[in-house]
Amino acid sequence: MESNAPAPDGIESLEPAGAGAWGEWNPTEDSVRPVRGRHRVAKQRGGLARSSTVLGVGVIAAVGAGGIATAQDRPQVSISLPSLPSLDALTGAEGHHGKAADADTANGAAQARGAVASHADAGEALRSRILQQAEAQTDAADAVAKSAAEQAARDAAAQEAKDKQESARKAAEEAAAKEAADARTKAEEAARAEAEAAQPAPAAPAPAPAGSFSLPTSSYTITSTYGAAGSMWSSGHHTGLDFAAPTGTPVKAVAGGTITSAGWSGAYGYRIVLELPDGTEIWYCHLSSMSVTSGAVGAGTTIGRVGATGNVTGPHLHLEVRTSGGSTMDPMAWLESKGLEV
């Protein structure tokens, strides 16, 4: 259907060349209305969106009018769109509404900032509460640890004091026991001394009767007799009688007499000289010790002990018998003459 009527106000004619056979068809005329009321209209960004809308509407209209068709089956259709007022015009016409919107936006921003600040304050309060709880828990743990350490210190001090008391008690007991033992020992010694003092003194040995004689020692063995030859003696022969006996065996006076000499005598070692009343001298040689060194003694009195001093090969008593003039004689014969069995 062909129409030569001019396009309505605000409608652009998009009729292509050679479209007169179809006439002008505006499918959006009834659906698009002038903008009424006070509204903000965003600026159109380029013509792509607008052209796409027009093309879509045209395709739908073509499909509805003639059924399923393709671009090759239909000629091009002229489509007109209304002219939209510019953003500046709308802004000018609705300036007071823009100001109101700006105020609303400012209020919204302020509310948003208030909400953000409120959330920030709530987060800070939560953070502070968490920190306070953590600090409180740390303080509680420190207090528990401090209390445990103090209790351990008190326990250690109490144990140390107890140990000291126990040591002092043991030391006192040991001292008391030692003192008691010392007292018992002293008492026993005193009792022993008193008992000994109460006992009668042992009777002194009766002096040998005048003219009595005794062997010079006991438990002996004759090892060398008078006159035996040998290089061991300086005179070339033995001048005495040897009684071999263990060291320490008692040596006795053969008869009553007086000790005229006692001491070291070279090859004889320690020697005691006993002089009898008739002037005979009895020499006791090679002694280990001397009990009597001077004075009168009776027959059988211990005057020394067997030893091995001087020129000897073993412990023994070398007994010599000399006349008043100093000549030696056979000791065995002399002892036998006094009634002694050697």
Side-chain angles (χ1 to χ4, degrees):
M1 181 176 184
E2 182 180 356
S3 176
N4 295 324
D9 294 339
I11 303 299
E12 295 180 353
S13 176
L14 301 179
E15 180 181 0
W22 284 82
E24 184 177 5
W25 177 53
N26 185 1
T28 63
E29 181 178 1
D30 296 332
S31 60
V32 177
R33 296 289 184 269
V35 178
R36 297 179 182 179
R38 296 174 180 177
H39 303 282
R40 296 176 62 91
V41 179
K43 288 185 178 182
Q44 299 292 332
R45 295 182 179 178
L48 179 59
R50 181 176 180 183
S51 299
S52 300
T53 303
V54 173
L55 180 58
V57 174
V59 171
I60 294 171
V63 172
I68 299 173
T70 63
Q72 289 80 5
D73 298 333
R74 298 283 185 177
Q76 296 181 353
V77 179
S78 175
I79 300 174
S80 298
L81 294 176
S83 298
L84 298 177
S86 65
L87 183 61
D88 294 337
L90 291 175
T91 304
E94 300 176 357
H96 59 283
H97 290 291
K99 294 179 180 179
D102 292 339
D104 293 340
T105 302
N107 291 332
Q111 292 177 359
R113 285 192 298 272
V116 171
S118 177
H119 284 300
D121 293 340
E124 183 64 22
L126 178 60
R127 175 177 173 272
S128 299
R129 191 179 305 112
I130 292 173
L131 292 177
Q132 291 175 357
Q133 292 177 356
E135 185 176 0
Q137 293 176 356
T138 302
D139 294 340
D142 292 342
V144 171
K146 182 179 180 181
S147 177
E150 292 176 352
Q151 184 62 36
R154 287 193 295 269
D155 294 342
Q159 185 63 35
E160 184 178 2
K162 183 178 179 181
D163 293 341
K164 288 182 178 179
Q165 291 177 355
E166 184 66 17
S167 299
R169 184 184 65 79
K170 289 182 177 179
E173 290 179 354
E174 292 176 357
K178 185 176 182 301
E179 184 177 357
D182 293 341
R184 284 194 302 270
T185 301
K186 291 180 180 179
E188 292 174 356
E189 291 177 353
R192 188 181 304 111
E194 185 178 356
E196 291 176 355
Q199 291 179 355
S212 64
F213 295 90
S214 173
L215 289 173
T217 188
S218 60
S219 301
Y220 60 87
T221 300
I222 302 299
T223 57
S224 182
T225 59
Y226 178 79
S231 61
M232 293 183 298
W233 300 286
S234 59
S235 61
H237 63 276
H238 193 220
T239 59
L241 182 65
D242 289 346
F243 297 81
T247 299
T249 302
V251 174
K252 302 174 182 180
V254 296
T258 302
I259 295 176
T260 59
S261 175
W264 184 260
S265 183
Y268 288 105
Y270 287 107
R271 184 191 67 172
I272 293 177
V273 176
L274 173 63
E275 184 179 350
L276 302 181
D278 62 357
T280 303
E281 291 183 349
I282 310 298
W283 290 12
Y284 301 85
C285 305
H286 308 307
L287 301 177
S288 62
S289 63
M290 297 176 294
S291 303
V292 182
T293 58
S294 64
V297 293
T301 303
T302 300
I303 60 175
R305 295 186 181 276
V306 174
T309 59
N311 185 16
V312 296
T313 58
H316 68 279
L317 170 65
H318 176 80
L319 183 70
E320 288 190 8
V321 179
R322 292 175 178 264
T323 65
S324 58
S327 299
T328 62
M329 66 179 66
D330 185 359
M332 183 178 292
W334 185 85
L335 291 172
E336 289 178 349
S337 67
K338 303 304 181 184
L340 301 174
E341 185 179 355
V342 179

